[in-house]
Amino acid sequence: MLIDDDFTTNIYNEIIIEDTGYVDKIIIQSSAEDALEYLKTNFTEDHPHPDLIFLDINMPTMNGWDFLQSYSKHFKSDSPNNKIIMLSTTSDEEEIEKAKKIPILNGIKSKPLTIEIMEEIVATLFAPNQLVQGE
């Protein structure tokens, strides 16, 4: 799942992710609120549970930090296969340290997403040869 309010960024990230061949489906949400609503609904074949979530920090109304706080309240016993990576344009050390202290966050990566970053995430967070379904 891609959560970013910037249309161009979502399209770019979708292309990068598709180029890796690791996913069957990419879910794009243009706001944190929409993403939370999606995640609160029952999952089906047409509405899959994301194994990997890429989250933007700076979004209007609800930013990435607010999303993580709300997500933590709603999904306390979520699947251990669900991973969240924050994508940021910041190199602010304070923000990076803040991200490291959030237990449900599996990392923070600099934008733009690249094939190399995607390969590193898959190699680090998922078992070898495991297909990331429903991203």
Side-chain angles (χ1 to χ4, degrees), residues 99-131:
K100 288 179 182 177
K101 294 177 184 173
I102 300 175
I104 64 166
L105 192 58
N106 296 95
I108 184 168
K109 299 291 182 183
S110 295
K111 287 183 181 180
L113 185 63
T114 63
I115 290 175
E116 293 77 18
I117 290 173
M118 188 67 188
E119 289 174 344
E120 175 190 335
I121 290 167
V122 170
T124 303
L125 298 179
F126 297 95
N129 302 320
Q130 179 183 350
L131 180 63

PDB file of all heavy atoms in Angstrom, residues 99-131:
ATOM      1  N   ALA A  99      11.367   8.224  14.557  1.00  0.00           N
ATOM      2  CA  ALA A  99      10.877   7.047  13.829  1.00  0.00           C
ATOM      3  C   ALA A  99      11.398   5.754  14.448  1.00  0.00           C
ATOM      4  O   ALA A  99      10.666   4.766  14.549  1.00  0.00           O
ATOM      5  CB  ALA A  99      11.281   7.136  12.363  1.00  0.00           C
ATOM      6  N   LYS A 100      12.639   5.760  14.888  1.00  0.00           N
ATOM      7  CA  LYS A 100      13.244   4.557  15.479  1.00  0.00           C
ATOM      8  C   LYS A 100      12.556   4.139  16.774  1.00  0.00           C
ATOM      9  O   LYS A 100      12.624   2.984  17.169  1.00  0.00           O
ATOM     10  CB  LYS A 100      14.732   4.790  15.755  1.00  0.00           C
ATOM     11  CG  LYS A 100      15.577   4.840  14.499  1.00  0.00           C
ATOM     12  CD  LYS A 100      17.025   5.103  14.855  1.00  0.00           C
ATOM     13  CE  LYS A 100      17.890   5.211  13.625  1.00  0.00           C
ATOM     14  NZ  LYS A 100      19.291   5.526  13.949  1.00  0.00           N
ATOM     15  N   LYS A 101      11.875   5.070  17.431  1.00  0.00           N
ATOM     16  CA  LYS A 101      11.235   4.792  18.716  1.00  0.00           C
ATOM     17  C   LYS A 101       9.801   4.278  18.571  1.00  0.00           C
ATOM     18  O   LYS A 101       9.162   3.970  19.570  1.00  0.00           O
ATOM     19  CB  LYS A 101      11.249   6.046  19.581  1.00  0.00           C
ATOM     20  CG  LYS A 101      12.655   6.458  19.990  1.00  0.00           C
ATOM     21  CD  LYS A 101      12.643   7.738  20.775  1.00  0.00           C
ATOM     22  CE  LYS A 101      14.078   8.160  21.089  1.00  0.00           C
ATOM     23  NZ  LYS A 101      14.142   9.474  21.702  1.00  0.00           N
ATOM     24  N   ILE A 102       9.302   4.183  17.370  1.00  0.00           N
ATOM     25  CA  ILE A 102       7.926   3.738  17.151  1.00  0.00           C
ATOM     26  C   ILE A 102       7.944   2.247  16.830  1.00  0.00           C
ATOM     27  O   ILE A 102       8.421   1.842  15.769  1.00  0.00           O
ATOM     28  CB  ILE A 102       7.260   4.552  16.022  1.00  0.00           C
ATOM     29  CG1 ILE A 102       7.236   6.038  16.406  1.00  0.00           C
ATOM     30  CG2 ILE A 102       5.859   4.016  15.737  1.00  0.00           C
ATOM     31  CD1 ILE A 102       6.728   6.959  15.342  1.00  0.00           C
ATOM     32  N   PRO A 103       7.436   1.423  17.745  1.00  0.00           N
ATOM     33  CA  PRO A 103       7.548  -0.038  17.592  1.00  0.00           C
ATOM     34  C   PRO A 103       6.920  -0.608  16.324  1.00  0.00           C
ATOM     35  O   PRO A 103       7.440  -1.571  15.778  1.00  0.00           O
ATOM     36  CB  PRO A 103       6.832  -0.588  18.833  1.00  0.00           C
ATOM     37  CG  PRO A 103       6.692   0.538  19.768  1.00  0.00           C
ATOM     38  CD  PRO A 103       6.772   1.796  18.990  1.00  0.00           C
ATOM     39  N   ILE A 104       5.807  -0.037  15.861  1.00  0.00           N
ATOM     40  CA  ILE A 104       5.146  -0.612  14.681  1.00  0.00           C
ATOM     41  C   ILE A 104       5.786  -0.182  13.371  1.00  0.00           C
ATOM     42  O   ILE A 104       5.447  -0.705  12.316  1.00  0.00           O
ATOM     43  CB  ILE A 104       3.637  -0.272  14.646  1.00  0.00           C
ATOM     44  CG1 ILE A 104       3.420   1.233  14.512  1.00  0.00           C
ATOM     45  CG2 ILE A 104       2.927  -0.878  15.835  1.00  0.00           C
ATOM     46  CD1 ILE A 104       2.017   1.612  14.139  1.00  0.00           C
ATOM     47  N   LEU A 105       6.722   0.741  13.438  1.00  0.00           N
ATOM     48  CA  LEU A 105       7.394   1.233  12.239  1.00  0.00           C
ATOM     49  C   LEU A 105       8.637   0.388  11.980  1.00  0.00           C
ATOM     50  O   LEU A 105       9.472   0.221  12.850  1.00  0.00           O
ATOM     51  CB  LEU A 105       7.770   2.705  12.422  1.00  0.00           C
ATOM     52  CG  LEU A 105       8.226   3.472  11.201  1.00  0.00           C
ATOM     53  CD1 LEU A 105       7.170   3.458  10.106  1.00  0.00           C
ATOM     54  CD2 LEU A 105       8.533   4.912  11.593  1.00  0.00           C
ATOM     55  N   ASN A 106       8.731  -0.145  10.780  1.00  0.00           N
ATOM     56  CA  ASN A 106       9.842  -1.031  10.431  1.00  0.00           C
ATOM     57  C   ASN A 106      11.015  -0.309   9.785  1.00  0.00           C
ATOM     58  O   ASN A 106      11.990  -0.954   9.411  1.00  0.00           O
ATOM     59  CB  ASN A 106       9.359  -2.143   9.503  1.00  0.00           C
ATOM     60  CG  ASN A 106       8.350  -3.020  10.186  1.00  0.00           C
ATOM     61  OD1 ASN A 106       7.159  -2.797  10.042  1.00  0.00           O
ATOM     62  ND2 ASN A 106       8.808  -3.979  10.956  1.00  0.00           N
ATOM     63  N   GLY A 107      10.912   0.997   9.643  1.00  0.00           N
ATOM     64  CA  GLY A 107      12.025   1.738   9.089  1.00  0.00           C
ATOM     65  C   GLY A 107      11.593   3.051   8.480  1.00  0.00           C
ATOM     66  O   GLY A 107      10.407   3.321   8.291  1.00  0.00           O
ATOM     67  N   ILE A 108      12.580   3.865   8.187  1.00  0.00           N
ATOM     68  CA  ILE A 108      12.359   5.131   7.502  1.00  0.00           C
ATOM     69  C   ILE A 108      13.383   5.184   6.376  1.00  0.00           C
ATOM     70  O   ILE A 108      14.568   4.926   6.591  1.00  0.00           O
ATOM     71  CB  ILE A 108      12.461   6.337   8.461  1.00  0.00           C
ATOM     72  CG1 ILE A 108      12.139   7.647   7.735  1.00  0.00           C
ATOM     73  CG2 ILE A 108      13.780   6.382   9.180  1.00  0.00           C
ATOM     74  CD1 ILE A 108      11.940   8.844   8.668  1.00  0.00           C
ATOM     75  N   LYS A 109      12.906   5.467   5.180  1.00  0.00           N
ATOM     76  CA  LYS A 109      13.764   5.518   3.999  1.00  0.00           C
ATOM     77  C   LYS A 109      13.594   6.862   3.318  1.00  0.00           C
ATOM     78  O   LYS A 109      12.521   7.472   3.358  1.00  0.00           O
ATOM     79  CB  LYS A 109      13.403   4.406   3.003  1.00  0.00           C
ATOM     80  CG  LYS A 109      13.570   2.995   3.544  1.00  0.00           C
ATOM     81  CD  LYS A 109      15.019   2.665   3.758  1.00  0.00           C
ATOM     82  CE  LYS A 109      15.192   1.235   4.253  1.00  0.00           C
ATOM     83  NZ  LYS A 109      16.568   0.922   4.538  1.00  0.00           N
ATOM     84  N   SER A 110      14.651   7.296   2.675  1.00  0.00           N
ATOM     85  CA  SER A 110      14.606   8.562   1.947  1.00  0.00           C
ATOM     86  C   SER A 110      13.920   8.394   0.603  1.00  0.00           C
ATOM     87  O   SER A 110      14.091   7.378  -0.066  1.00  0.00           O
ATOM     88  CB  SER A 110      16.020   9.089   1.716  1.00  0.00           C
ATOM     89  OG  SER A 110      16.625   9.401   2.940  1.00  0.00           O
ATOM     90  N   LYS A 111      13.130   9.412   0.257  1.00  0.00           N
ATOM     91  CA  LYS A 111      12.557   9.471  -1.080  1.00  0.00           C
ATOM     92  C   LYS A 111      13.639   9.917  -2.029  1.00  0.00           C
ATOM     93  O   LYS A 111      14.542  10.636  -1.634  1.00  0.00           O
ATOM     94  CB  LYS A 111      11.408  10.480  -1.135  1.00  0.00           C
ATOM     95  CG  LYS A 111      10.151  10.021  -0.459  1.00  0.00           C
ATOM     96  CD  LYS A 111       9.081  11.078  -0.659  1.00  0.00           C
ATOM     97  CE  LYS A 111       7.798  10.714   0.015  1.00  0.00           C
ATOM     98  NZ  LYS A 111       6.778  11.750  -0.177  1.00  0.00           N
ATOM     99  N   PRO A 112      13.617   9.544  -3.257  1.00  0.00           N
ATOM    100  CA  PRO A 112      12.600   8.716  -3.900  1.00  0.00           C
ATOM    101  C   PRO A 112      12.864   7.233  -3.667  1.00  0.00           C
ATOM    102  O   PRO A 112      14.001   6.812  -3.442  1.00  0.00           O
ATOM    103  CB  PRO A 112      12.751   9.055  -5.381  1.00  0.00           C
ATOM    104  CG  PRO A 112      14.202   9.362  -5.535  1.00  0.00           C
ATOM    105  CD  PRO A 112      14.599  10.029  -4.235  1.00  0.00           C
ATOM    106  N   LEU A 113      11.790   6.461  -3.730  1.00  0.00           N
ATOM    107  CA  LEU A 113      11.905   5.011  -3.651  1.00  0.00           C
ATOM    108  C   LEU A 113      12.661   4.533  -4.880  1.00  0.00           C
ATOM    109  O   LEU A 113      12.465   5.042  -5.978  1.00  0.00           O
ATOM    110  CB  LEU A 113      10.501   4.389  -3.621  1.00  0.00           C
ATOM    111  CG  LEU A 113      10.422   2.887  -3.415  1.00  0.00           C
ATOM    112  CD1 LEU A 113      10.996   2.487  -2.063  1.00  0.00           C
ATOM    113  CD2 LEU A 113       8.976   2.415  -3.527  1.00  0.00           C
ATOM    114  N   THR A 114      13.556   3.591  -4.683  1.00  0.00           N
ATOM    115  CA  THR A 114      14.322   3.028  -5.806  1.00  0.00           C
ATOM    116  C   THR A 114      14.173   1.508  -5.781  1.00  0.00           C
ATOM    117  O   THR A 114      13.753   0.935  -4.774  1.00  0.00           O
ATOM    118  CB  THR A 114      15.820   3.375  -5.693  1.00  0.00           C
ATOM    119  OG1 THR A 114      16.337   2.768  -4.494  1.00  0.00           O
ATOM    120  CG2 THR A 114      16.054   4.877  -5.667  1.00  0.00           C
ATOM    121  N   ILE A 115      14.538   0.884  -6.868  1.00  0.00           N
ATOM    122  CA  ILE A 115      14.535  -0.576  -6.921  1.00  0.00           C
ATOM    123  C   ILE A 115      15.472  -1.125  -5.856  1.00  0.00           C
ATOM    124  O   ILE A 115      15.151  -2.104  -5.181  1.00  0.00           O
ATOM    125  CB  ILE A 115      14.903  -1.082  -8.327  1.00  0.00           C
ATOM    126  CG1 ILE A 115      13.761  -0.769  -9.294  1.00  0.00           C
ATOM    127  CG2 ILE A 115      15.212  -2.577  -8.322  1.00  0.00           C
ATOM    128  CD1 ILE A 115      14.022  -1.104 -10.740  1.00  0.00           C
ATOM    129  N   GLU A 116      16.613  -0.482  -5.645  1.00  0.00           N
ATOM    130  CA  GLU A 116      17.575  -0.937  -4.638  1.00  0.00           C
ATOM    131  C   GLU A 116      16.978  -0.863  -3.229  1.00  0.00           C
ATOM    132  O   GLU A 116      17.163  -1.786  -2.424  1.00  0.00           O
ATOM    133  CB  GLU A 116      18.870  -0.121  -4.712  1.00  0.00           C
ATOM    134  CG  GLU A 116      19.670  -0.336  -5.973  1.00  0.00           C
ATOM    135  CD  GLU A 116      19.123   0.395  -7.202  1.00  0.00           C
ATOM    136  OE1 GLU A 116      18.330   1.347  -7.057  1.00  0.00           O
ATOM    137  OE2 GLU A 116      19.474  -0.012  -8.321  1.00  0.00           O
ATOM    138  N   ILE A 117      16.270   0.229  -2.927  1.00  0.00           N
ATOM    139  CA  ILE A 117      15.634   0.356  -1.614  1.00  0.00           C
ATOM    140  C   ILE A 117      14.569  -0.724  -1.455  1.00  0.00           C
ATOM    141  O   ILE A 117      14.473  -1.363  -0.414  1.00  0.00           O
ATOM    142  CB  ILE A 117      15.026   1.766  -1.414  1.00  0.00           C
ATOM    143  CG1 ILE A 117      16.146   2.806  -1.279  1.00  0.00           C
ATOM    144  CG2 ILE A 117      14.105   1.796  -0.192  1.00  0.00           C
ATOM    145  CD1 ILE A 117      15.662   4.247  -1.253  1.00  0.00           C
ATOM    146  N   MET A 118      13.785  -0.936  -2.498  1.00  0.00           N
ATOM    147  CA  MET A 118      12.742  -1.964  -2.451  1.00  0.00           C
ATOM    148  C   MET A 118      13.342  -3.351  -2.232  1.00  0.00           C
ATOM    149  O   MET A 118      12.850  -4.121  -1.414  1.00  0.00           O
ATOM    150  CB  MET A 118      11.936  -1.910  -3.755  1.00  0.00           C
ATOM    151  CG  MET A 118      10.723  -2.777  -3.771  1.00  0.00           C
ATOM    152  SD  MET A 118       9.466  -2.246  -2.615  1.00  0.00           S
ATOM    153  CE  MET A 118       8.361  -3.633  -2.763  1.00  0.00           C
ATOM    154  N   GLU A 119      14.415  -3.647  -2.932  1.00  0.00           N
ATOM    155  CA  GLU A 119      15.083  -4.948  -2.762  1.00  0.00           C
ATOM    156  C   GLU A 119      15.631  -5.106  -1.347  1.00  0.00           C
ATOM    157  O   GLU A 119      15.540  -6.176  -0.754  1.00  0.00           O
ATOM    158  CB  GLU A 119      16.185  -5.117  -3.800  1.00  0.00           C
ATOM    159  CG  GLU A 119      15.631  -5.335  -5.192  1.00  0.00           C
ATOM    160  CD  GLU A 119      16.688  -5.358  -6.282  1.00  0.00           C
ATOM    161  OE1 GLU A 119      17.845  -4.915  -6.036  1.00  0.00           O
ATOM    162  OE2 GLU A 119      16.345  -5.798  -7.389  1.00  0.00           O
ATOM    163  N   GLU A 120      16.187  -4.039  -0.795  1.00  0.00           N
ATOM    164  CA  GLU A 120      16.704  -4.068   0.575  1.00  0.00           C
ATOM    165  C   GLU A 120      15.577  -4.323   1.579  1.00  0.00           C
ATOM    166  O   GLU A 120      15.719  -5.130   2.504  1.00  0.00           O
ATOM    167  CB  GLU A 120      17.393  -2.739   0.902  1.00  0.00           C
ATOM    168  CG  GLU A 120      17.854  -2.621   2.338  1.00  0.00           C
ATOM    169  CD  GLU A 120      18.302  -1.209   2.692  1.00  0.00           C
ATOM    170  OE1 GLU A 120      18.701  -0.441   1.798  1.00  0.00           O
ATOM    171  OE2 GLU A 120      18.228  -0.879   3.888  1.00  0.00           O
ATOM    172  N   ILE A 121      14.443  -3.662   1.394  1.00  0.00           N
ATOM    173  CA  ILE A 121      13.299  -3.846   2.285  1.00  0.00           C
ATOM    174  C   ILE A 121      12.808  -5.287   2.236  1.00  0.00           C
ATOM    175  O   ILE A 121      12.598  -5.917   3.273  1.00  0.00           O
ATOM    176  CB  ILE A 121      12.164  -2.857   1.917  1.00  0.00           C
ATOM    177  CG1 ILE A 121      12.579  -1.432   2.289  1.00  0.00           C
ATOM    178  CG2 ILE A 121      10.851  -3.249   2.606  1.00  0.00           C
ATOM    179  CD1 ILE A 121      11.694  -0.353   1.706  1.00  0.00           C
ATOM    180  N   VAL A 122      12.635  -5.810   1.049  1.00  0.00           N
ATOM    181  CA  VAL A 122      12.152  -7.181   0.901  1.00  0.00           C
ATOM    182  C   VAL A 122      13.143  -8.164   1.515  1.00  0.00           C
ATOM    183  O   VAL A 122      12.759  -9.081   2.244  1.00  0.00           O
ATOM    184  CB  VAL A 122      11.860  -7.510  -0.578  1.00  0.00           C
ATOM    185  CG1 VAL A 122      11.588  -8.992  -0.773  1.00  0.00           C
ATOM    186  CG2 VAL A 122      10.668  -6.681  -1.067  1.00  0.00           C
ATOM    187  N   ALA A 123      14.425  -7.960   1.267  1.00  0.00           N
ATOM    188  CA  ALA A 123      15.448  -8.866   1.808  1.00  0.00           C
ATOM    189  C   ALA A 123      15.505  -8.804   3.338  1.00  0.00           C
ATOM    190  O   ALA A 123      15.737  -9.817   3.996  1.00  0.00           O
ATOM    191  CB  ALA A 123      16.812  -8.533   1.218  1.00  0.00           C
ATOM    192  N   THR A 124      15.268  -7.633   3.893  1.00  0.00           N
ATOM    193  CA  THR A 124      15.358  -7.451   5.339  1.00  0.00           C
ATOM    194  C   THR A 124      14.093  -7.881   6.076  1.00  0.00           C
ATOM    195  O   THR A 124      14.175  -8.488   7.149  1.00  0.00           O
ATOM    196  CB  THR A 124      15.629  -5.958   5.664  1.00  0.00           C
ATOM    197  OG1 THR A 124      16.814  -5.558   4.993  1.00  0.00           O
ATOM    198  CG2 THR A 124      15.788  -5.736   7.151  1.00  0.00           C
ATOM    199  N   LEU A 125      12.932  -7.598   5.503  1.00  0.00           N
ATOM    200  CA  LEU A 125      11.681  -7.789   6.230  1.00  0.00           C
ATOM    201  C   LEU A 125      10.890  -9.041   5.875  1.00  0.00           C
ATOM    202  O   LEU A 125       9.976  -9.419   6.612  1.00  0.00           O
ATOM    203  CB  LEU A 125      10.769  -6.572   6.033  1.00  0.00           C
ATOM    204  CG  LEU A 125      11.308  -5.237   6.546  1.00  0.00           C
ATOM    205  CD1 LEU A 125      10.306  -4.129   6.270  1.00  0.00           C
ATOM    206  CD2 LEU A 125      11.637  -5.313   8.023  1.00  0.00           C
ATOM    207  N   PHE A 126      11.222  -9.664   4.762  1.00  0.00           N
ATOM    208  CA  PHE A 126      10.449 -10.820   4.334  1.00  0.00           C
ATOM    209  C   PHE A 126      11.354 -12.014   4.098  1.00  0.00           C
ATOM    210  O   PHE A 126      12.513 -11.871   3.729  1.00  0.00           O
ATOM    211  CB  PHE A 126       9.661 -10.492   3.057  1.00  0.00           C
ATOM    212  CG  PHE A 126       8.649  -9.403   3.265  1.00  0.00           C
ATOM    213  CD1 PHE A 126       8.958  -8.087   2.976  1.00  0.00           C
ATOM    214  CD2 PHE A 126       7.396  -9.699   3.774  1.00  0.00           C
ATOM    215  CE1 PHE A 126       8.036  -7.074   3.181  1.00  0.00           C
ATOM    216  CE2 PHE A 126       6.460  -8.687   3.982  1.00  0.00           C
ATOM    217  CZ  PHE A 126       6.775  -7.378   3.693  1.00  0.00           C
ATOM    218  N   ALA A 127      10.790 -13.203   4.295  1.00  0.00           N
ATOM    219  CA  ALA A 127      11.551 -14.438   4.086  1.00  0.00           C
ATOM    220  C   ALA A 127      11.982 -14.530   2.633  1.00  0.00           C
ATOM    221  O   ALA A 127      11.303 -14.032   1.746  1.00  0.00           O
ATOM    222  CB  ALA A 127      10.687 -15.644   4.459  1.00  0.00           C
ATOM    223  N   PRO A 128      13.106 -15.187   2.368  1.00  0.00           N
ATOM    224  CA  PRO A 128      13.555 -15.348   0.993  1.00  0.00           C
ATOM    225  C   PRO A 128      12.464 -15.992   0.136  1.00  0.00           C
ATOM    226  O   PRO A 128      11.765 -16.891   0.580  1.00  0.00           O
ATOM    227  CB  PRO A 128      14.764 -16.279   1.104  1.00  0.00           C
ATOM    228  CG  PRO A 128      15.214 -16.136   2.514  1.00  0.00           C
ATOM    229  CD  PRO A 128      13.984 -15.824   3.324  1.00  0.00           C
ATOM    230  N   ASN A 129      12.307 -15.470  -1.059  1.00  0.00           N
ATOM    231  CA  ASN A 129      11.337 -15.963  -2.045  1.00  0.00           C
ATOM    232  C   ASN A 129       9.884 -15.777  -1.639  1.00  0.00           C
ATOM    233  O   ASN A 129       8.997 -16.313  -2.265  1.00  0.00           O
ATOM    234  CB  ASN A 129      11.588 -17.452  -2.363  1.00  0.00           C
ATOM    235  CG  ASN A 129      12.984 -17.677  -2.887  1.00  0.00           C
ATOM    236  OD1 ASN A 129      13.484 -16.874  -3.669  1.00  0.00           O
ATOM    237  ND2 ASN A 129      13.603 -18.738  -2.449  1.00  0.00           N
ATOM    238  N   GLN A 130       9.624 -15.012  -0.564  1.00  0.00           N
ATOM    239  CA  GLN A 130       8.238 -14.749  -0.167  1.00  0.00           C
ATOM    240  C   GLN A 130       7.715 -13.602  -1.011  1.00  0.00           C
ATOM    241  O   GLN A 130       8.288 -12.533  -1.034  1.00  0.00           O
ATOM    242  CB  GLN A 130       8.158 -14.379   1.317  1.00  0.00           C
ATOM    243  CG  GLN A 130       6.745 -14.062   1.770  1.00  0.00           C
ATOM    244  CD  GLN A 130       6.690 -13.633   3.219  1.00  0.00           C
ATOM    245  OE1 GLN A 130       7.660 -13.743   3.944  1.00  0.00           O
ATOM    246  NE2 GLN A 130       5.570 -13.118   3.633  1.00  0.00           N
ATOM    247  N   LEU A 131       6.612 -13.808  -1.663  1.00  0.00           N
ATOM    248  CA  LEU A 131       6.012 -12.766  -2.486  1.00  0.00           C
ATOM    249  C   LEU A 131       5.235 -11.819  -1.591  1.00  0.00           C
ATOM    250  O   LEU A 131       4.456 -12.253  -0.755  1.00  0.00           O
ATOM    251  CB  LEU A 131       5.072 -13.404  -3.526  1.00  0.00           C
ATOM    252  CG  LEU A 131       4.377 -12.436  -4.460  1.00  0.00           C
ATOM    253  CD1 LEU A 131       5.422 -11.688  -5.303  1.00  0.00           C
ATOM    254  CD2 LEU A 131       3.414 -13.176  -5.365  1.00  0.00           C
TER     255      LEU A 131
END
